């Protein structure tokens, strides 16, 4: 496995976009100018190729491993766990495969603290002393390294693959913008951070990537920094994310405090040298765990969760994402739909070992996710800005993913992450095409019936809408239904909320589609002067669909159609069973099984972790999804039909309905006034507090400093008046006096 | 008559230094004040030479030669300054330049 080219050269995946960013950033303004996209294209393209070769290499190994059924005895740290694993393998009815997960160390990044002795023996083995407690003299050791497993490979392919097509699109979209090189430099930096985020083998690497994507998001939202709205949106995104990152940072610190390391798996799974491994010990019979670690395990998931809520725009912290649409459209597609905002889902899936043993955290995640899905989905109903509709839709879909990880179905969450990345990127980029064609206008009341103006975009957008609405056989259908099914398995209320949200999704998606592409052809009369003028020559040519922009869209559309096949239900080899090769999922399944059996809860559906029973009938387990699939398809079709009735057949009907619902409409149009509530309840008091502190600073702190500085000033002034009088002899006399005093002091 | 001891040299040096110091403190004339500083220099120089002699090495003499050379250089500068100051105010009184206190 280690001989695989892509494994050995995994370090190139983050490095190439970074190199591209440096080239574009430092040479762009002077030399590359209009060609600034080349370093990023090449860098990200090469990274995408490497990511896919990593994935396919892994798949080949996986297949080989399954065929030969070689079981590689992994190092076990307790006998109990080894027994348990063996029992689990017996339950599965087969022996499993070579491990597809490995840690690759690049270099030691941070090595601080601890005694000299602990430095010498640091490769994370001596974190535990003989009696099982954490060695208090442990160094803070962080290595820069990659954790390569199926989850990483899949995430890398999504990030680099979709990232590459979006950069290709962006070159066409951003043509003629001032600061063209700046845009591409930021984009490269973003992809560097995002790959670090998904590849890192410890929490600090994750945090580095986490903050890096936050920074790039800030820079790119504020790309049009002459526009006050863009500046405000960028600041808002950054500040709201700070709240989440604060919790995340505390969570990482607590991990180190309790477990003495920040590595996921240390030297490898089952060696007991990583956080996720040691956390597993909490649930295993005979596992060594201290009371402090027990307590820490209760808190760590909550703290990490706050970070995930911030980055993935969940309920209390979602407010930045709709505003982030001020950024250029490719940025909305890449960062605020496909990749960055899914980091929270990735993190929870990666740490499912920590989350699954904490029922309270799971319930919180699931309910916050469901609430966010419903909440944002309902706001999207009365938005008229195309990008805003999709922004709220993204928040809502992220809610779906959170429900998935919250109801012990991380595979469904990651699956939805992938399909969503495809179709939402497609939808956003199509919005970008419309925006160009309409000279920057995005209000769907101002235009209609564009299917003859933008025929290709029309088809592509229809594919995206079908996928988002969850119509069979488009990708969104499969992933969404897996989540809905898992939610029903866990909690009927959650399932009903998600089903209703799926209805809303279908409705608002097709409301947009019918309004924009169908019906009488209306174009905005006086083309509003584009806030970001694209090349003037483009206006005359009437070619709103250049190939450089359309080609990436076609690829994404193919993904939006076919990605559903990745996890085709009841297939022996699917995304789920592949992801199950990742220790994150495997351990998650084992722990969920133990924890929930101990609590006497409902049996955990282990197939949601990717475990496929060899003989499902014998296990008495049947996939619970089939009836749900039909129901949710009907629900989605209802939504589409309602949208057709209200927004195509009789457009006045929508307004009549809105008037009939009076208060509710106002509530939705006001977006529940969450922004206003935050403004008045948090921002204004904070500003007042800040002003009060400013006054205190001016009067008290500065006053004291001023007073203290007054003492030497006054003394100096007095001395000057009394002693510095210009008599040479006077100076000589005082010098003499001084010498005498010194002599006296020395010789007394 | 007994031989000259270190104390004798030191006494001469101290007397020279004391005369210089008193002269510097009491006289107003810039040139005389300057001469007094030279006297103090020589007092110190005698000390150095005496110590060097009685310790049996030449450091004191070497120092003294340095002091003399620097004193000579400084004397040329100082006398030039005194001449300039005199041209400005037609007097050698040090107190005439009180406004230089800043």
């Amino acid at each position: 496995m280690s001989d695989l080219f892509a494994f050995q050269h995994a370090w190139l995946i983050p490095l190439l976009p970074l190199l591209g960013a440096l080239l574009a950033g430092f040479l762009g303004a002077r030399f590359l100018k209009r060609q600034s996209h080349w370093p990023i294209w090449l860098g990200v393209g090469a990274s995408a190729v490497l990511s896919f070769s990593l994935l396919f290499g892994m798949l080949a190994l996986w297949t080989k491993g399954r065929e030969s059924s070689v079981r590689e005895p992994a190092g076990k740290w307790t006998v109990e766990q080894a027994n348990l694993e063996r029992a689990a393998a017996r339950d599965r009815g087969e022996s499993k495969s070579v491990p597809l997960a490995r840690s690759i160390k690049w270099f030691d990044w941070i090595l601080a603290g601890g005694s000299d002795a602990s430095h010498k023996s640091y490769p994370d083995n001596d974190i535990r002393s003989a009696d099982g407690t954490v060695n208090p003299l442990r160094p803070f050791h962080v290595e820069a390294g990659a954790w390569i497993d199926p989850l990483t490979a899949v995430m890398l392919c999504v990030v680099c693959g979709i990232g590459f097509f979006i950069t290709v699109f962006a070159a066409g979209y951003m043509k003629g913008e001032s600061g063209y090189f700046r845009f591409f430099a930021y984009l490269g930096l973003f992809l560097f951070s995002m790959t670090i985020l998904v590849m890192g083998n410890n929490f600090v690497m994750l945090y580095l990537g986490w903050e890096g994507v936050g920074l790039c998001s800030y820079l790119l939202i504020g790309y049009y920094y002459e526009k006050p709205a863009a500046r405000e949106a960028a600041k808002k995104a950054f500040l709201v994310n700070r709240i989440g990152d604060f919790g995340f940072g505390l969570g990482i610190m607590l991990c180190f405090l309790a477990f003495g390391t920040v590595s996921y798996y240390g030297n490898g799974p089952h060696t007991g040298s990583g956080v996720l491994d040691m956390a597993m010990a909490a649930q295993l019979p005979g596992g060594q765990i201290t009371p402090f670690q027990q307590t820490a395990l209760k808190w760590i998931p909550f703290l990490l969760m706050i970070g995930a809520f911030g980055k993935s725009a969940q309920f209390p912290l979602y407010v930045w994402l709709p505003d982030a649409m001020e950024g250029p459209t490719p940025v909305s597609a890449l960062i605020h739909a496909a990749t960055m905002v899914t980091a929270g889902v990735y993190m929870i899936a990666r740490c499912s070992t920590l989350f699954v043993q904490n029922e309270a955290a799971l319930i919180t995640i699931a309910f916050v996710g469901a609430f966010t899905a419903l909440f944002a989905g309902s706001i999207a109903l009365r938005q008229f800005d195309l990008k805003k509709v999709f922004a709220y839709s993204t928040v809502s879909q992220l809610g779906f993913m959170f429900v998935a990880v919250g109801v012990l179905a991380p595979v469904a969450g990651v699956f939805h992450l992938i399909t969503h990345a495809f179709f939402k990127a497609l939808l956003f980029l199509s919005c970008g095409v419309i925006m160009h064609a309409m000279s920057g206008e995005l209000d769907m009341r101002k235009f209609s019936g564009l299917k003859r103006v933008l025929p290709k975009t029309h088809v592509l957008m229809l594919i995206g809408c079908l996928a988002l609405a969850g119509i069979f056989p488009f990708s969104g259908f499969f992933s969404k239904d897996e989540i809905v099914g898992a939610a029903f398995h866990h909690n009927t209320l959650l399932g009903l909320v998600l089903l209703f949200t799926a209805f809303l999704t279908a409705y608002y998606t097709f409301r947009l589609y019918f309004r924009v592409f169908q019906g009488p052809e209306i174009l905005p009369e006086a083309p509003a002067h584009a806030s970001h003028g694209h090349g003037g020559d483009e206006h005359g040519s009437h070619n709103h669909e250049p190939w450089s922009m359309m080609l990436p869209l076609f690829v994404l559309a193919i993904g939006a159609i076919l990605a559903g096949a990745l996890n085709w239900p009841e297939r022996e080899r699917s995304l789920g069973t592949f992801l199950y090769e990742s220790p994150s999922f495997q351990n998650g399944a084992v722990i969920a099984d133990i924890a929930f059996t101990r609590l006497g809860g409902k049996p955990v559906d282990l197939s949601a972790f990717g475990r496929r029973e060899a003989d499902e009938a014998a296990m008495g387990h049947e996939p619970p999804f089939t009836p749900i699939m039909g129901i949710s398809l009907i629900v989605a079709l209802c939504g589409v039909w309602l949208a057709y009735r209200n927004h195509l057949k009789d457009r006045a009907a929508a307004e009549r309905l809105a008037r009939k619902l009076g208060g509710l409409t106002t509530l939705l149009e006001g977006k529940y006034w969450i922004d206003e509530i935050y403004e008045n309840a948090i921002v204004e008091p904070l500003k007042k507090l800040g002003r009060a502190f400013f006054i205190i600073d001016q009067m008290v702190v500065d006053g004291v400093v001023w007073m203290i500085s007054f003492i030497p000033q006054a003394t100096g002034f007095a001395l000057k008046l009394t002693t510095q009088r210009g008599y040479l002899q006077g100076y000589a006399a005082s010098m003499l006096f001084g010498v005498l005093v010194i002599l006296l002091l020395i010789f007394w | 008559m007994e031989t000259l001891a270190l104390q004798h040299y030191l006494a001469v040096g101290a007397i020279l230094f004391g005369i210089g110091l008193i002269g510097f403190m009491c006289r107003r004339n810039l040139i005389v004040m300057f001469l007094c500083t030279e006297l103090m220099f020589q007092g110190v120089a005698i000390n150095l030479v005496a110590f060097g002699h009685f310790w049996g090495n030449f450091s004191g003499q070497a120092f003294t030669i340095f002091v003399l050379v620097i004193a000579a250089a400084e004397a040329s500068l100082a006398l030039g300054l005194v001449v300039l100051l005199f041209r400005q105010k037609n007097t050698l009184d040090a107190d005439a330049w009180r406004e230089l206190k800043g």
Side-chain angles (χ1 to χ4, degrees):
Chain A
M1 159 143 168
S2 53
D3 354 323
L4 218 63
F5 177 82
F7 278 103
Q8 293 199 316
H9 295 81
W11 53 277
L12 283 171
I13 297 177
L15 197 66
L16 290 173
L18 180 65
L19 268 178
L22 291 177
L23 282 178
F26 287 111
L27 303 180
R30 290 274 175 80
F31 306 108
L32 293 167
K33 294 189 174 115
R34 298 277 155 251
Q35 305 300 320
S36 300
H37 53 265
W38 279 108
I40 306 297
W41 277 14
L42 293 176
V44 179
S47 287
V49 170
L50 275 171
S51 307
F52 276 97
S53 65
L54 190 68
L55 180 69
F56 287 121
M58 239 182 218
L59 282 172
L61 279 170
W62 182 42
T63 318
K64 218 191 316 172
R66 285 171 74 92
E67 277 161 5
S68 59
S69 288
V70 184
R71 180 158 184 84
E72 195 168 285
K76 303 290 180 195
W77 90 79
T78 59
V79 182
E80 285 85 354
Q81 200 217 335
N83 287 338
L84 206 109
E85 267 294 301
R86 229 169 282 138
R90 210 171 40 243
D91 285 350
R92 291 199 294 276
E94 29 89 274
S95 56
K96 266 266 170 75
S97 71
V98 286
L100 289 182
R102 69 182 261 120
S103 182
I104 298 173
K105 179 177 159 181
W106 295 329
F107 55 88
D108 280 318
W109 180 21
I110 302 172
L111 181 56
S115 63
D116 284 346
S118 55
H119 272 237
K120 274 177 204 126
S121 58
Y122 69 81
D124 289 339
N125 272 331
D126 287 2
I127 290 163
R128 285 158 177 285
S129 43
D131 56 348
T133 54
V134 169
N135 177 6
L137 289 176
R138 63 208 188 267
F140 180 64
H141 173 226
V142 182
E143 63 182 40
W147 176 255
I148 308 279
D149 71 354
L151 180 60
T152 311
V154 167
M155 286 300 290
L156 278 179
C157 290
V158 171
V159 170
C160 293
I162 293 183
F164 174 68
F165 289 113
I166 291 176
T167 45
V168 172
F169 177 90
Y173 183 84
M174 301 298 287
K175 197 182 281 170
E177 299 272 350
S178 62
Y180 187 73
F181 74 98
R182 189 160 55 91
F183 179 81
F184 280 95
Y186 292 162
L187 219 52
L189 197 60
F190 169 76
L191 282 156
F192 161 72
S193 311
M194 193 68 204
T195 45
I196 287 286
L197 194 159
V198 297
M199 283 178 88
N201 68 354
N202 57 59
F203 280 106
V204 178
M205 289 278 277
L206 177 68
Y207 196 70
L208 172 75
W210 196 269
E211 294 301 317
V213 293
L215 169 70
C216 295
S217 161
Y218 164 79
L219 291 171
L220 284 164
I221 296 170
Y223 178 74
Y224 300 117
Y225 56 82
E226 319 86 24
K227 265 166 66 183
R231 289 201 297 267
E232 291 302 315
K235 270 190 280 181
K236 189 171 176 183
F238 202 73
L239 290 176
V240 174
N241 266 304
R242 283 281 75 60
I243 301 171
D245 294 348
F246 181 65
F248 189 34
L250 285 182
I252 295 172
M253 288 177 215
L254 192 54
C255 276
F256 177 71
L257 215 57
F259 297 105
T261 176
V262 288
S263 178
Y264 295 147
Y265 292 104
N267 304 324
H270 312 308
T271 55
S273 53
V275 173
L276 299 184
D277 255 0
M278 285 190 243
M280 191 170 176
Q283 293 297 336
L284 294 174
Q288 295 169 322
I289 192 143
T290 60
F292 177 62
Q293 289 175 333
Q294 285 284 15
T295 321
L297 281 176
K298 285 196 180 66
W299 288 100
I300 291 168
F302 278 100
L303 292 169
L304 296 183
M305 190 170 80
I306 295 171
F309 283 172
K311 190 62 77 195
S312 294
Q314 292 303 292
F315 169 62
L317 303 177
Y318 76 97
V319 286
W320 63 272
L321 187 57
D323 287 22
M325 296 300 131
E326 288 294 336
T329 309
V331 170
S332 311
L334 178 62
I335 301 185
H336 305 121
T339 53
M340 182 187 88
V341 289
T342 59
V345 182
Y346 163 79
M347 190 255 280
I348 296 177
R350 168 64 74 213
C351 305
S352 32
T353 325
L354 291 173
F355 284 90
V356 291
Q357 50 186 295
N358 193 332
E359 208 186 5
L362 285 180
I363 290 173
T364 318
I365 291 173
F367 276 91
V368 168
F371 178 70
T372 311
L374 180 64
F375 183 81
S378 66
I379 295 178
L381 295 177
R382 283 299 285 181
Q383 291 295 308
F384 291 98
D385 184 311
L386 260 60
K387 279 178 79 180
K388 282 276 162 70
V389 173
F390 287 131
Y392 281 107
S393 156
T394 304
V395 176
S396 168
Q397 298 300 309
L398 287 166
F400 271 82
M401 295 176 213
F402 270 74
V403 173
V405 287
V407 298
L408 297 168
V411 168
V414 174
F415 183 31
H416 197 54
L417 188 162
I418 297 167
T419 57
H420 177 259
F422 277 111
F423 61 69
K424 197 50 77 61
L426 171 66
L427 287 169
F428 266 114
L429 296 187
S430 308
C431 273
V433 178
I434 296 173
M435 196 168 165
H436 258 203
M438 299 294 123
S439 319
E441 185 60 64
L442 270 178
D443 191 331
M444 66 171 93
R445 286 168 296 196
K446 302 251 174 76
F447 46 77
S448 156
L450 298 182
K451 69 178 166 191
R452 275 169 298 278
V453 185
L454 300 167
K456 289 185 219 115
T457 315
H458 165 231
V459 177
L460 293 167
M461 192 106 167
L462 180 59
I463 293 170
C465 286
L466 287 168
L468 174 56
I471 307 291
F472 184 83
F474 293 89
S475 58
F477 169 75
F478 297 99
S479 53
K480 190 179 290 180
D481 287 333
E482 248 180 62
I483 294 176
V484 175
F488 267 113
H489 180 77
H490 205 74
N491 185 322
T492 318
L493 176 64
L494 280 178
L496 287 175
V497 169
L498 289 195
L499 213 52
F500 183 63
T501 311
F503 166 75
L504 294 183
T505 311
Y507 179 78
Y508 67 68
T509 312
F510 275 86
R511 160 179 176 266
L512 184 148
Y513 167 76
F514 286 134
R515 281 197 164 258
V516 173
F517 286 102
Q518 302 290 344
E521 187 173 313
I522 306 168
L523 295 174
E525 314 90 21
H529 195 71
S531 50
H532 52 291
H534 47 83
D537 52 337
E538 225 176 291
H539 281 288
S541 69
H542 285 291
N543 180 16
H544 295 304
E545 302 181 318
W547 278 106
S548 66
M549 283 159 74
M550 282 298 124
L551 215 57
L553 286 187
F554 280 119
V555 179
L556 290 174
I558 292 168
I561 298 170
L562 296 182
L566 285 176
N567 205 20
W568 195 273
E570 295 176 64
R571 256 182 52 195
E572 178 65 18
R573 291 178 52 201
S574 64
L575 178 73
T577 44
F578 181 51
L579 284 177
Y580 187 65
E581 296 295 322
S582 160
S584 288
F585 286 76
Q586 221 160 36
N587 296 355
V590 172
I591 289 184
D593 208 14
I594 301 171
F596 279 77
T597 317
R598 189 181 294 161
L599 292 172
K602 260 190 242 175
V604 177
D605 176 20
L606 291 179
S607 70
F609 285 90
R611 180 185 285 185
R612 285 280 183 278
E613 317 303 345
D615 183 5
E616 284 187 349
M619 299 290 294
H621 167 80
E622 67 184 69
F625 303 131
T626 344
I628 303 285
M629 278 189 165
I631 294 169
S632 79
L633 183 60
I634 292 168
V635 163
L637 287 173
C638 282
V640 177
W641 174 76
L642 200 64
Y644 167 76
R645 233 192 54 153
N646 282 346
H647 293 281
L648 185 60
K649 211 169 111 208
D650 177 14
R651 286 204 173 158
E655 290 311 310
R656 278 203 302 278
L657 186 69
R659 262 198 303 283
K660 209 186 292 171
L661 290 174
L664 190 61
T665 312
T666 336
L667 195 65
L668 292 183
E669 277 178 352
K671 304 167 202 165
Y672 299 95
W673 297 289
I674 294 291
D675 276 328
E676 285 77 3
I677 291 170
Y678 282 179
E679 185 70 29
N680 291 322
I682 297 170
V683 179
E684 277 306 318
L686 276 180
K687 269 188 191 163
K688 285 207 186 88
L689 191 70
R691 241 172 267 137
F693 279 144
F694 180 69
I695 290 169
I696 290 174
D697 179 61
Q698 290 278 299
M699 306 296 282
V700 181
V701 180
D702 280 10
V704 168
V705 172
W706 187 84
M707 255 154 47
I708 288 172
S709 80
F710 177 77
I711 294 168
Q713 259 181 26
T715 321
F717 189 69
L719 276 176
K720 183 182 143 190
L721 280 187
T722 49
T723 58
Q724 195 185 2
R725 290 179 307 163
Y727 294 111
L728 206 51
Q729 269 83 15
Y731 300 155
S734 46
M735 223 163 104
L736 186 66
F737 178 72
V739 170
L740 286 178
V741 167
I742 291 172
L743 287 177
L744 212 64
L745 285 178
I746 292 175
F747 292 110
W748 190 251
Chain B
M1 187 169 144
E2 52 190 301
T3 48
L4 285 173
L6 177 61
Q7 288 86 343
H8 299 108
Y9 294 99
L10 294 189
V12 173
I15 289 166
L16 271 180
F17 189 84
I19 293 171
L21 187 64
I22 292 166
F24 188 82
M25 304 295 284
C26 301
R27 300 297 296 266
R28 292 273 186 278
N29 187 313
L30 280 173
I31 293 178
V32 176
M33 285 167 76
F34 177 68
L35 288 177
C36 291
T37 60
E38 290 296 321
L39 274 182
M40 286 192 272
F41 265 131
Q42 302 320 316
V44 173
I46 285 176
N47 269 12
L48 287 170
V49 173
F51 275 124
H53 178 74
F54 280 90
W55 279 103
N57 65 29
F58 295 99
S59 315
Q61 295 184 26
F63 262 123
T64 306
I65 289 169
F66 264 113
V67 168
L68 287 181
V69 168
I70 290 167
E74 171 249 316
S76 63
L77 265 178
L79 285 175
L81 273 175
V82 169
V83 170
L84 281 175
L85 291 174
F86 179 75
R87 279 193 192 155
Q88 292 274 319
K89 295 215 170 179
N90 259 332
T91 169
L92 282 172
D93 189 354
D95 291 345
W97 292 94
R98 277 188 64 196
E99 74 259 26
L100 285 183
K101 72 183 169 119

